């Protein structure tokens, strides 16, 4: 993620290279439209494609459709998705697109790729991990039997962002005298400013990540396509309880994402809303 | 401005139409690069192309190059200019591109046009008016002899935004049940939410307008191309005094633009910094 997003962004590239590739990926309009619909539209209106754990979540789904503050924020995220050519993103980077063994990590299904906001990829991955966290209580055969696994998921959420941060800013430092056009060395290469610029960029990116990640969490609970983490909880009442916690966390993240200054604050908030 | 920006935005159009046109205008890379250089880069570094009223503004020009907060904000504006395909913008809409008679208004020089942030056009025009305002004291042959004209300029600044606001939101209201994809009618057509959405959109747009407008003011004082309003002040000391006021106002607008909630607050701030 760090390598692809960095090397296709204007931190690394010239605007000539950037505009050429943006134009090329504008052709991938149909799959972008599918994402626009299932992530940013369907969950917020009555749609034949939506489903949820009924009747338990009927009121929760209705509350989503009636939440003006949430819908205002989602409109902003949708516009960013449609307008902002920040880097070449995978476009569907949920955990199911990542294949791992002890020795290797491979990402599949690149057909949604286009120039969009970086936070959409990072958020997709982290959003799925948060869903997995809230699903565990539905699978525990006795209280706390999934405690270790839940801790591992939280650690993975934190490490995903921390490692991305480290690798992305390391690439930035390495290429700070390169031909990237967003921050020209003659203007931005003084140590104090470099730090300010990176901190602002990465904080904005964390907020985008949380917004997009949370929007994708919402659509996995009240939209067309769900996640196996919840689907495999046979007891519907139990499943709904888990899903409701995830949904509440997602709404908070969309609305209040700009208040989080670090990923550990996010992890803390996730734990505090699990009971 | 209202008509062109509205009809080429996702408030009015589908993402299919939008992406097709974005791709087409990605070809206009060289003129975009020229803007990137002269507006967002040159004024913030030592460049053979920069000039200013020397020696009077030598320290002011140096202060611009050393202002980390300013440069951080300008980096954000530059990224928005390069990444955000919000609407088809003119790209060089300073007052010199607008030809008027009593009966007709024509805009010339469309060669910079591309899909970019709307605020860049509105800002270019308003920024030029602010420069014109601060230039008047350099042309007054006695104290206050330009008072009426200055008042007219301020009124024009205010009316430009107010009229744009009215026409743009009127078009929005007229087409709110259309096929525009940013705010689908099934989700956003309740009166309270419609109001919230428009208010947020227009406030964000005012902030973009002020940021881009101010960035263009700065480049007209310490960058390569200047404005006749100042250039025609023969007395260099007098000219520098006017330019310094405009420069200080521009720096304030770039850094503090998000604090302004209306154009009348901006006009008030302009007057308060004229002495």
């Amino acid at each position: 993620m760090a390598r692809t997003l960095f090397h296709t962004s204007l931190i690394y590239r010239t605007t000539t290279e950037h505009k050429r590739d943006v134009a090329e990926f504008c052709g991938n309009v149909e799959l972008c439209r599918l994402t626009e619909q299932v992530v940013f539209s369907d969950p917020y209106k009555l749609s034949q494609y939506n489903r949820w754990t009924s009747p338990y979540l009927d009121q929760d789904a209705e509350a989503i459709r009636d939440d003006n503050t949430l819908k205002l924020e989602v409109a902003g995220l949708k516009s960013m998705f449609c307008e902002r050519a920040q880097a070449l993103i995978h476009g569907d980077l949920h955990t199911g697109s990542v294949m791992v063994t002890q020795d290797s990590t491979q990402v599949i299904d690149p057909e949604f790729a286009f120039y969009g906001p970086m936070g959409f990829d990072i958020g997709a991955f982290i959003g799925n991990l948060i869903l997995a966290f809230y699903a565990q209580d539905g699978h525990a055969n006795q209280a706390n039997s999934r405690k270790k696994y839940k801790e591992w998921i939280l650690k993975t959420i934190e490490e995903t962002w921390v490692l991305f941060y480290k690798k992305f800013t390391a690439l930035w430092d390495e290429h700070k005298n390169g031909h990237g056009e967003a921050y020209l060395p003659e203007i931005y290469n003084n140590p104090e400013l470099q730090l300010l610029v990176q901190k602002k960029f990465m904080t904005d990116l964390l907020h985008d990540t949380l917004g997009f990640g949370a929007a994708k969490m919402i659509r996995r609970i009240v939209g067309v396509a769900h996640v196996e983490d919840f689907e495999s909880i046979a007891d519907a009442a139990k499943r709904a309880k888990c899903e409701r916690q995830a949904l509440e966390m997602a709404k908070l993240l969309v609305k209040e994402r700009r208040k989080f200054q670090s990923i550990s604050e996010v992890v803390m908030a996730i734990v505090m809303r699990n009971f």
Side-chain angles (χ1 to χ4, degrees), chain A residues 125-175:
Chain A
F125 187 76
I126 287 180
N128 256 227
L129 291 177
I130 303 176
L131 292 178
F133 173 83
Y134 284 111
Q136 296 315 312
D137 291 347
H139 294 291
N141 37 33
Q142 57 192 76
N144 275 331
S145 70
R146 294 275 179 135
K147 187 163 176 285
K148 279 252 152 85
Y149 188 47
K150 284 166 72 177
E151 284 170 4
W152 179 86
I153 297 173
L154 293 175
K155 197 167 133 262
T156 304
I157 293 170
E158 180 140 2
E159 280 181 357
T160 298
W161 176 257
V162 169
L163 200 59
F164 173 83
Y165 194 116
K166 272 190 199 159
K167 291 192 174 190
F168 192 91
T169 52
L171 285 167
W172 192 335
D173 290 341
E174 186 186 329
H175 294 283

Coordinates of all heavy atoms in Angstrom, one line a residue, chain A residues 125-175:
Chain A
F125 N -9.3 -1.7 4.3 CA -8.6 -2.7 5.0 C -8.9 -2.6 6.5 O -9.3 -3.6 7.2 CB -7.1 -2.7 4.7 CG -6.3 -3.8 5.3 CD1 -6.4 -5.1 4.7 CD2 -5.6 -3.7 6.4 CE1 -5.7 -6.2 5.2 CE2 -4.9 -4.8 7.0 CZ -4.9 -6.0 6.3
I126 N -8.7 -1.4 7.1 CA -8.9 -1.2 8.5 C -10.3 -1.4 8.9 O -10.7 -2.0 9.9 CB -8.3 0.2 8.9 CG1 -6.8 0.1 8.9 CG2 -8.8 0.5 10.3 CD1 -6.1 1.4 9.3
G127 N -11.2 -0.9 8.0 CA -12.7 -1.1 8.3 C -13.1 -2.6 8.5 O -13.8 -2.9 9.4
N128 N -12.5 -3.4 7.6 CA -12.8 -4.8 7.7 C -12.2 -5.4 9.0 O -12.9 -6.3 9.6 CB -12.1 -5.6 6.5 CG -13.1 -6.0 5.4 OD1 -13.1 -7.1 5.0 ND2 -14.0 -5.1 5.1
L129 N -11.1 -5.0 9.4 CA -10.5 -5.5 10.7 C -11.4 -5.1 11.9 O -11.7 -5.8 12.8 CB -9.1 -4.9 10.9 CG -8.0 -5.5 10.0 CD1 -6.7 -4.8 10.2 CD2 -7.9 -7.0 10.1
I130 N -12.0 -3.8 11.8 CA -12.9 -3.4 12.9 C -14.2 -4.3 12.9 O -14.6 -4.7 14.0 CB -13.2 -1.9 12.8 CG1 -12.0 -1.0 12.8 CG2 -14.1 -1.5 13.9 CD1 -12.2 0.5 12.5
L131 N -14.7 -4.6 11.7 CA -15.8 -5.5 11.6 C -15.5 -6.8 12.3 O -16.3 -7.4 13.0 CB -16.3 -5.7 10.2 CG -16.9 -4.5 9.4 CD1 -17.2 -4.9 8.0 CD2 -18.1 -4.0 10.1
A132 N -14.3 -7.3 11.9 CA -13.9 -8.6 12.5 C -13.8 -8.6 14.0 O -14.2 -9.5 14.7 CB -12.5 -9.0 11.9
F133 N -13.3 -7.5 14.5 CA -13.2 -7.3 16.0 C -14.6 -7.4 16.6 O -14.8 -8.2 17.6 CB -12.6 -5.9 16.3 CG -12.6 -5.6 17.8 CD1 -11.7 -6.1 18.7 CD2 -13.7 -4.9 18.3 CE1 -11.7 -5.9 20.0 CE2 -13.7 -4.6 19.7 CZ -12.7 -5.1 20.5
Y134 N -15.6 -6.7 16.1 CA -16.9 -6.7 16.7 C -17.7 -8.0 16.5 O -18.6 -8.3 17.2 CB -17.7 -5.5 16.2 CG -17.3 -4.2 16.8 CD1 -16.7 -3.2 16.1 CD2 -17.6 -3.9 18.2 CE1 -16.3 -2.0 16.7 CE2 -17.2 -2.7 18.8 CZ -16.6 -1.8 18.0 OH -16.2 -0.6 18.6
A135 N -17.2 -8.8 15.5 CA -17.9 -10.1 15.2 C -17.5 -11.2 16.3 O -18.2 -12.1 16.5 CB -17.5 -10.6 13.8
Q136 N -16.3 -11.0 16.9 CA -15.8 -12.1 17.8 C -16.7 -12.5 18.9 O -16.9 -13.7 19.2 CB -14.4 -11.7 18.3 CG -13.4 -11.5 17.2 CD -13.4 -12.7 16.2 OE1 -13.4 -13.8 16.5 NE2 -13.4 -12.3 14.9
D137 N -17.4 -11.5 19.5 CA -18.3 -11.9 20.6 C -19.4 -12.8 20.2 O -20.0 -13.6 21.0 CB -18.9 -10.6 21.3 CG -17.8 -9.8 22.1 OD1 -16.7 -10.4 22.3 OD2 -18.0 -8.7 22.4
G138 N -19.8 -12.7 18.9 CA -20.8 -13.6 18.4 C -20.3 -15.0 18.1 O -21.1 -16.0 17.9
H139 N -19.0 -15.2 18.1 CA -18.4 -16.5 17.9 C -17.9 -17.2 19.2 O -17.6 -18.4 19.2 CB -17.3 -16.4 16.9 CG -17.7 -16.0 15.5 ND1 -18.5 -16.8 14.7 CD2 -17.5 -14.9 14.8 CE1 -18.7 -16.2 13.6 NE2 -18.2 -15.0 13.6
A140 N -17.8 -16.4 20.2 CA -17.2 -16.9 21.5 C -18.1 -18.0 22.1 O -19.3 -17.7 22.3 CB -17.0 -15.8 22.5
N141 N -17.6 -19.2 22.4 CA -18.5 -20.2 23.0 C -18.6 -20.0 24.5 O -19.4 -20.6 25.1 CB -18.1 -21.6 22.6 CG -16.6 -21.7 22.5 OD1 -15.9 -21.1 23.2 ND2 -16.1 -22.6 21.5
Q142 N -17.7 -19.2 25.1 CA -17.9 -18.7 26.4 C -17.3 -17.3 26.6 O -16.5 -16.9 25.7 CB -17.3 -19.7 27.5 CG -15.8 -19.9 27.2 CD -15.2 -21.1 28.1 OE1 -15.4 -22.2 27.8 NE2 -14.6 -20.7 29.2
A143 N -17.8 -16.6 27.6 CA -17.3 -15.2 27.7 C -15.8 -15.1 27.7 O -15.1 -15.9 28.3 CB -17.9 -14.6 29.1
N144 N -15.3 -14.2 26.9 CA -13.9 -13.9 26.8 C -13.1 -15.0 26.1 O -11.9 -14.9 26.1 CB -13.3 -13.7 28.2 CG -13.5 -12.2 28.6 OD1 -13.5 -11.4 27.7 ND2 -13.6 -12.0 29.9
S145 N -13.7 -16.0 25.5 CA -12.9 -17.1 24.9 C -12.2 -16.6 23.6 O -11.3 -17.2 23.1 CB -13.8 -18.3 24.5 OG -14.7 -18.0 23.5
R146 N -12.6 -15.4 23.1 CA -12.0 -14.8 21.9 C -11.1 -13.7 22.3 O -10.7 -12.9 21.4 CB -13.0 -14.4 20.9 CG -13.8 -15.5 20.3 CD -13.1 -16.1 19.1 NE -13.9 -17.2 18.5 CZ -14.0 -17.4 17.2 NH1 -13.5 -16.5 16.3 NH2 -14.7 -18.4 16.7
K147 N -10.8 -13.5 23.6 CA -10.1 -12.3 24.1 C -8.7 -12.1 23.3 O -8.4 -11.1 22.8 CB -9.9 -12.4 25.6 CG -9.3 -11.2 26.2 CD -9.5 -11.3 27.8 CE -8.8 -10.1 28.4 NZ -7.3 -10.3 28.5
K148 N -8.0 -13.2 23.3 CA -6.6 -13.1 22.6 C -6.7 -12.7 21.2 O -5.9 -11.9 20.7 CB -5.9 -14.5 22.7 CG -5.3 -14.8 24.1 CD -3.8 -14.7 24.0 CE -3.1 -14.3 25.3 NZ -2.9 -15.5 26.2
Y149 N -7.7 -13.3 20.5 CA -7.9 -13.0 19.0 C -8.3 -11.6 18.9 O -7.8 -10.9 17.9 CB -8.9 -14.0 18.4 CG -9.0 -13.9 16.9 CD1 -7.8 -13.9 16.1 CD2 -10.2 -13.8 16.3 CE1 -7.9 -13.8 14.8 CE2 -10.3 -13.7 14.9 CZ -9.1 -13.7 14.1 OH -9.2 -13.6 12.8
K150 N -9.2 -11.1 19.7 CA -9.6 -9.7 19.7 C -8.4 -8.8 19.9 O -8.3 -7.7 19.2 CB -10.7 -9.4 20.7 CG -12.1 -10.0 20.3 CD -13.1 -10.0 21.4 CE -13.6 -8.6 21.8 NZ -14.6 -8.6 22.8
E151 N -7.6 -9.1 20.8 CA -6.4 -8.3 21.0 C -5.5 -8.3 19.8 O -4.9 -7.3 19.5 CB -5.6 -8.8 22.3 CG -6.3 -8.4 23.6 CD -5.7 -9.1 24.8 OE1 -4.7 -9.9 24.6 OE2 -6.3 -8.9 25.9
W152 N -5.4 -9.5 19.2 CA -4.6 -9.5 18.0 C -5.1 -8.6 16.9 O -4.4 -7.9 16.1 CB -4.5 -11.0 17.5 CG -3.7 -11.1 16.2 CD1 -2.3 -11.3 16.1 CD2 -4.2 -11.1 14.9 NE1 -1.9 -11.3 14.8 CE2 -3.0 -11.2 14.0 CE3 -5.4 -10.9 14.3 CZ2 -3.2 -11.2 12.6 CZ3 -5.5 -10.9 12.9 CH2 -4.4 -11.1 12.1
I153 N -6.5 -8.6 16.7 CA -7.1 -7.8 15.7 C -6.8 -6.3 16.0 O -6.4 -5.5 15.1 CB -8.6 -8.0 15.6 CG1 -8.9 -9.5 15.2 CG2 -9.2 -7.0 14.6 CD1 -10.4 -9.8 15.2
L154 N -6.9 -5.9 17.2 CA -6.7 -4.5 17.6 C -5.2 -4.1 17.3 O -4.9 -3.0 16.8 CB -7.0 -4.3 19.1 CG -8.5 -4.4 19.5 CD1 -8.6 -4.2 21.0 CD2 -9.3 -3.3 18.8
K155 N -4.3 -5.1 17.7 CA -2.9 -4.8 17.4 C -2.6 -4.7 15.9 O -1.8 -3.9 15.4 CB -2.1 -6.0 18.0 CG -0.6 -5.7 18.2 CD 0.0 -6.8 19.1 CE 1.3 -7.3 18.5 NZ 1.2 -8.5 17.7
T156 N -3.4 -5.5 15.1 CA -3.2 -5.5 13.7 C -3.7 -4.1 13.1 O -3.1 -3.6 12.1 CB -3.9 -6.7 13.0 OG1 -3.3 -7.9 13.6 CG2 -3.6 -6.7 11.5
I157 N -4.8 -3.6 13.6 CA -5.3 -2.3 13.2 C -4.3 -1.3 13.4 O -3.9 -0.5 12.5 CB -6.6 -2.0 13.9 CG1 -7.8 -2.9 13.5 CG2 -7.0 -0.5 13.7 CD1 -9.0 -2.8 14.4
E158 N -3.8 -1.3 14.6 CA -2.8 -0.3 15.0 C -1.5 -0.4 14.2 O -1.0 0.6 13.6 CB -2.4 -0.4 16.5 CG -1.4 0.6 17.0 CD -1.7 1.2 18.4 OE1 -2.7 0.8 19.0 OE2 -1.0 2.1 18.8
E159 N -1.0 -1.6 14.0 CA 0.2 -1.9 13.3 C 0.1 -1.5 11.8 O 1.0 -1.1 11.1 CB 0.7 -3.3 13.4 CG 1.4 -3.5 14.7 CD 1.9 -5.0 14.9 OE1 1.6 -5.8 14.0 OE2 2.5 -5.2 15.9
T160 N -1.1 -1.8 11.2 CA -1.3 -1.5 9.8 C -1.1 0.0 9.6 O -0.3 0.4 8.7 CB -2.8 -1.8 9.4 OG1 -3.0 -3.2 9.6 CG2 -3.1 -1.4 8.0
W161 N -1.7 0.9 10.4 CA -1.5 2.3 10.2 C -0.1 2.7 10.5 O 0.5 3.5 9.8 CB -2.5 3.1 11.0 CG -2.3 4.6 10.9 CD1 -1.6 5.4 11.8 CD2 -2.5 5.4 9.8 NE1 -1.5 6.6 11.4 CE2 -2.0 6.7 10.1 CE3 -3.1 5.2 8.5 CZ2 -2.1 7.8 9.2 CZ3 -3.2 6.3 7.6 CH2 -2.7 7.5 8.0
V162 N 0.4 2.2 11.7 CA 1.8 2.6 12.1 C 2.8 2.3 11.1 O 3.7 3.1 10.7 CB 2.1 2.1 13.5 CG1 3.6 2.3 13.8 CG2 1.2 2.7 14.6
L163 N 2.7 1.0 10.5 CA 3.7 0.6 9.6 C 3.5 1.3 8.2 O 4.5 1.7 7.6 CB 3.5 -0.9 9.4 CG 4.7 -1.7 8.7 CD1 5.9 -1.5 9.6 CD2 4.4 -3.2 8.6
F164 N 2.3 1.5 7.8 CA 2.0 2.3 6.6 C 2.7 3.7 6.8 O 3.3 4.2 5.9 CB 0.5 2.5 6.4 CG 0.2 3.4 5.2 CD1 0.3 3.0 3.9 CD2 0.0 4.8 5.5 CE1 0.1 3.8 2.9 CE2 -0.3 5.6 4.4 CZ -0.2 5.2 3.1
Y165 N 2.4 4.3 7.9 CA 3.0 5.7 8.2 C 4.5 5.7 8.1 O 5.1 6.5 7.4 CB 2.5 6.1 9.7 CG 2.7 7.5 10.0 CD1 1.6 8.3 10.3 CD2 4.0 8.1 10.1 CE1 1.8 9.6 10.7 CE2 4.1 9.4 10.4 CZ 3.0 10.2 10.7 OH 3.2 11.5 11.1
K166 N 5.1 4.7 8.7 CA 6.6 4.6 8.7 C 7.1 4.4 7.3 O 8.0 5.1 6.8 CB 7.1 3.4 9.5 CG 7.3 3.8 11.0 CD 8.0 2.6 11.7 CE 7.7 2.8 13.2 NZ 7.9 1.5 14.0
K167 N 6.5 3.5 6.6 CA 7.0 3.2 5.2 C 6.7 4.3 4.2 O 7.6 4.6 3.4 CB 6.3 1.9 4.7 CG 6.8 0.7 5.4 CD 6.4 -0.6 4.7 CE 7.0 -1.8 5.3 NZ 6.8 -3.0 4.5
F168 N 5.6 4.9 4.4 CA 5.2 6.0 3.5 C 6.1 7.2 3.7 O 6.7 7.8 2.7 CB 3.7 6.4 3.7 CG 3.2 7.3 2.6 CD1 2.6 6.8 1.5 CD2 3.3 8.7 2.7 CE1 2.1 7.6 0.5 CE2 2.8 9.5 1.8 CZ 2.2 9.0 0.6
T169 N 6.3 7.6 5.0 CA 7.2 8.8 5.2 C 8.6 8.5 5.0 O 9.4 9.4 4.6 CB 7.0 9.3 6.7 OG1 7.1 8.2 7.6 CG2 5.6 9.9 6.9
A170 N 9.0 7.2 5.1 CA 10.4 6.8 4.8 C 10.7 7.0 3.3 O 11.7 7.5 2.8 CB 10.7 5.4 5.2
L171 N 9.7 6.6 2.5 CA 9.8 6.8 1.0 C 9.8 8.3 0.7 O 10.6 8.8 -0.2 CB 8.6 6.2 0.3 CG 8.6 4.6 0.2 CD1 7.3 4.1 -0.2 CD2 9.7 4.2 -0.8
W172 N 9.0 9.0 1.4 CA 9.0 10.5 1.2 C 10.3 11.1 1.5 O 10.9 11.9 0.7 CB 7.9 11.1 2.1 CG 7.5 12.5 1.9 CD1 8.2 13.5 1.3 CD2 6.2 13.1 2.3 NE1 7.5 14.6 1.3 CE2 6.2 14.4 1.9 CE3 5.1 12.6 2.9 CZ2 5.2 15.3 2.1 CZ3 4.0 13.4 3.1 CH2 4.1 14.8 2.7
D173 N 10.9 10.7 2.7 CA 12.2 11.3 3.0 C 13.3 10.9 2.0 O 14.1 11.7 1.6 CB 12.7 10.7 4.4 CG 11.8 11.3 5.5 OD1 11.2 12.3 5.3 OD2 11.8 10.7 6.6
E174 N 13.2 9.6 1.5 CA 14.2 9.1 0.6 C 14.1 9.9 -0.7 O 15.2 10.1 -1.4 CB 13.9 7.6 0.3 CG 14.8 6.9 -0.5 CD 14.3 5.5 -0.8 OE1 13.6 4.9 0.0 OE2 14.6 5.0 -1.9
H175 N 12.9 10.3 -1.1 CA 12.8 11.0 -2.4 C 12.5 12.5 -2.3 O 12.0 13.1 -3.2 CB 11.6 10.3 -3.2 CG 11.9 8.9 -3.6 ND1 12.7 8.6 -4.6 CD2 11.5 7.8 -3.0 CE1 12.8 7.3 -4.7 NE2 12.0 6.7 -3.7

